[in-house]
Amino acid sequence: MEEQVYKKYDAGQVTETMLQEAAILFSENYGVWGEQATGKFAKPGSRVRLSKDRLRSQYLPDNATCFYVRVTVDGQLAGNAFACRWTVNDKTVCWVTQLVVDRNYRERGLAKGLLNQLKQNDVDIYGLMSSHPAACLAAAKAFGDSIRTLQLGPIGKYAEEIMKASPISYVKDAKLRGSVFNPGDTSGLVSSVDSGFFVDHNEPLEALAWVQGEMDWPLGDLFDGHEFLLILEARRRSRSRSTSRPKSGS
């Protein structure tokens, strides 16, 4: 039986070696640039890559409270996640800024396992932007009940104020798109952001087609340069009857 080991680190505990391993994991497994990609390093068909220095500056900035979670399988790095916390109107937000699982270790529940490590009792709202339905499915299951029971109301209610307050630039700069934010939008977008990140969507669209054949997918279509937006209110554990009521005779 394989051994899965999850470990969580505060930003200050993340070493250069960890970042180098994370950079390799991302660059080998995240995806490739789409046809509309532009820029010096964004060549259509080439792999999307991140250096360890860019990981540090973009996902573990000094002005934010950030975390790094990784999972090894039999000693091999199989997946990782980065997340950041901030506060908006007395609500604590935990936003997943990156989630990557090695393609050789997918469909084993590792994504949900990574996200479970980020759950904290004082968090009020969890968020994620991703072009891949698998990431949204994992987040909905880890932070909520299921994508099937997702409530769109909190997305429309909180998205703008939460994202504008984010210390992570790509979250702060993303443009809200879809009928959740504009009831007159008939494009097929429901809860999305225009991130201007033109990664190839062939794999995510194949996954989306499969998911839509299995259930009513609540987040709508996926356009080039866009990502799905998922925001969930944290579940609060109700007090058990034994602790909420005084014992007989007390």
Side-chain angles (χ1 to χ4, degrees):
M1 180 179 293
E2 66 183 25
E3 181 184 28
Q4 298 179 6
V5 179
Y6 292 88
K7 291 186 178 181
K8 180 182 177 182
Y9 303 89
D10 293 337
Q13 298 174 306
V14 180
T15 66
E16 292 298 296
T17 298
M18 290 180 195
L19 284 176
Q20 182 61 42
E21 292 173 346
I24 293 172
L25 179 72
F26 178 93
S27 300
E28 292 183 350
N29 293 279
Y30 183 79
V32 299
W33 290 109
E35 293 182 0
Q36 298 184 53
T38 59
K40 182 178 180 180
F41 300 105
K43 297 180 180 180
S46 65
R47 287 213 161 272
V48 183
R49 299 184 182 277
L50 278 176
S51 68
K52 65 179 179 63
D53 293 333
R54 286 188 64 193
L55 277 175
R56 174 78 75 184
S57 63
Q58 293 184 9
Y59 295 90
L60 302 173
D62 293 335
N63 65 334
T65 301
C66 299
F67 305 94
Y68 174 59
V69 181
R70 52 190 269 150
V71 58
T72 58
V73 176
D74 293 334
Q76 298 295 315
L77 180 62
N80 63 202
F82 290 83
C84 183
R85 283 170 54 116
W86 63 91
T87 301
V88 181
N89 294 331
D90 296 325
K91 291 187 180 295
T92 299
V93 178
C94 177
W95 197 278
V96 181
T97 52
Q98 187 187 116
L99 176 64
V100 179
V101 175
D102 188 309
R103 63 186 66 256
N104 295 315
Y105 295 94
R106 292 177 183 174
E107 299 185 17
R108 303 190 193 187
L110 298 184
K112 178 175 179 287
L114 287 163
L115 298 177
N116 278 335
Q117 300 297 311
L118 296 171
K119 292 164 66 174
Q120 294 178 301
N121 292 333
D122 63 338
V123 171
D124 299 297
I125 297 171
Y126 293 95
L128 170 81
M129 289 163 42
S130 177
S131 61
H132 207 298
C136 299
L137 290 169
K141 189 175 293 186
F143 302 136
D145 292 313
S146 165
I147 200 77
R148 298 174 188 270
T149 58
L150 177 69
Q151 299 295 312
L152 296 176
I155 301 177
K157 181 179 180 180
Y158 296 119
E160 184 172 9
E161 64 178 6
I162 285 175
M163 294 171 65
K164 289 302 180 186
S166 175
I168 305 298
S169 59
Y170 88 88
V171 176
K172 184 176 183 177
D173 296 339
K175 301 175 180 65
L176 299 174
R177 296 288 186 266
S179 58
V180 167
F181 312 107
N182 176 12
D185 187 336
T186 59
S187 66
L189 298 177
V190 175
S191 179
S192 289
V193 293
D194 177 356
S195 60
F197 191 59
F198 287 96
V199 66
D200 183 83
H201 280 171
N202 283 335
E203 181 182 325
L205 287 173
E206 288 178 4
L208 180 60
W210 181 86
V211 171
Q212 290 174 325
E214 296 292 316
M215 67 179 75
D216 291 329
W217 175 251
L219 299 178
D221 293 338
L222 178 64
F223 287 5
D224 287 340
H226 289 60
E227 301 176 54
F228 296 118
L229 174 64
L230 188 68
I231 292 176
L232 303 106
E233 292 180 297
R235 291 181 296 177
R236 301 299 185 191
R237 291 183 178 179
S238 59
R239 298 174 66 188
S240 67
R241 184 172 299 178
S242 62
T243 58
S244 61
R245 293 183 179 179
K247 294 182 179 180
S248 177
S250 61

